[in-house]
Amino acid sequence: MVIAWLFFNSLGNTTARYFKKTWTNKQYFGIPVWIFYHRIHMMACWTLTCAAIICIFIDLEGFEAHAHDCVGLATFALVFVQPILGLMRPPQQQARSAVRILHALLGHAAYILAVTNMFLAVGLEAAQISSVMYGLLGGALAIHVVAHVAFNVLEYLARRKGSVLDVNKDASFSRWRKTTLMVQMIALYAFTIANVVFVWRG
């Protein structure tokens, strides 16, 4: 779950939200680069989340009605439908917009629930996870928030500079967006590895 949400989901969210006007003159397998990266990251998140849920049910031999389990199941339910919503393309523009908004809202809700559940997991006696994990989770969450602030600042500056008319040319501050993404990726990778180590060590 740590790898799925702190790393893959965060990066997938970033590419979908801020990189639609970056790499505009490139495509991977016939689709825009930002969609390709978004799908790769989110499918990794989806796969790891499903695998984690299966392993947890096998290990615990069932479901226990406490906060961590309930939030986990709610997260899984949201995650499971996300690929379906992401691939839906209704013919009507209004319906397509509604599906896109729903996809985004459920995605953000799933992220909030998943991160909340990680904090809940640290407090579980059975998990035997060091309280240091609270700080590591907080650090990874802070990176996510700071990255979004930075991308929004760059987006604001790009709008002030004026829109690019050439659809084959990246929007302003494209290089800064790519650099910020790289910094976010490295920082999240470091915090994710640290979180995994502490979970493993208990």
Side-chain angles (χ1 to χ4, degrees):
M1 289 296 193
V2 168
I3 298 172
W5 290 94
L6 295 186
F7 187 74
F8 286 115
N9 189 275
S10 292
L11 294 176
N13 184 292
T14 295
T15 52
R17 172 67 180 83
Y18 303 106
F19 284 82
K20 291 184 175 72
K21 295 182 180 179
T22 308
W23 302 300
T24 52
N25 61 342
K26 293 182 181 179
Q27 287 192 340
Y28 291 157
F29 302 101
I31 59 175
V33 174
W34 74 266
I35 293 181
F36 176 80
Y37 284 140
H38 176 68
R39 287 179 179 176
I40 290 293
H41 290 135
M42 290 310 191
M43 285 310 299
C45 176
W46 187 90
T47 302
L48 289 171
T49 300
C50 291
I53 290 291
I54 293 170
C55 290
I56 290 168
F57 266 85
I58 292 173
D59 184 58
L60 296 180
E61 299 180 349
F63 173 79
E64 296 181 16
H66 53 66
H68 180 69
D69 282 18
C70 293
V71 174
L73 279 181
T75 304
F76 176 69
L78 293 178
V79 168
F80 194 80
V81 301
Q82 280 296 83
I84 300 171
L85 292 173
L87 294 173
M88 285 179 65
R89 294 292 184 272
Q92 300 86 359
Q93 181 60 39
Q94 189 173 3
R96 185 175 297 186
S97 297
V99 169
R100 187 170 60 248
I101 292 171
L102 181 62
H103 180 62
L105 289 175
L106 292 184
H108 289 307
Y111 179 82
I112 292 170
L113 288 176
V115 173
T116 300
N117 217 28
M118 290 180 205
F119 280 97
L120 290 174
V122 179
L124 291 176
E125 185 177 343
Q128 297 182 339
I129 300 174
S130 170
S131 59
V132 175
M133 187 76 170
Y134 284 120
L136 292 173
L137 287 172
L141 185 59
I143 291 169
H144 183 76
V145 172
V146 170
H148 276 273
V149 171
F151 283 120
N152 274 288
V153 169
L154 292 173
E155 199 171 66
Y156 169 75
L157 293 174
R159 283 199 302 268
R160 284 198 61 182
K161 192 173 181 180
S163 59
V164 177
L165 298 178
D166 187 354
V167 295
N168 294 316
K169 187 177 180 181
D170 289 356
S172 302
F173 299 97
S174 174
R175 184 174 298 178
W176 280 102
R177 282 196 301 278
K178 294 174 185 176
T179 302
T180 305
L181 177 63
M182 184 60 65
V183 172
Q184 180 191 15
M185 186 182 301
I186 293 171
L188 285 176
Y189 181 79
F191 268 91
T192 300
I193 293 300
N195 275 282
V196 169
V197 169
F198 269 89
V199 170
W200 189 266
R201 290 173 58 185

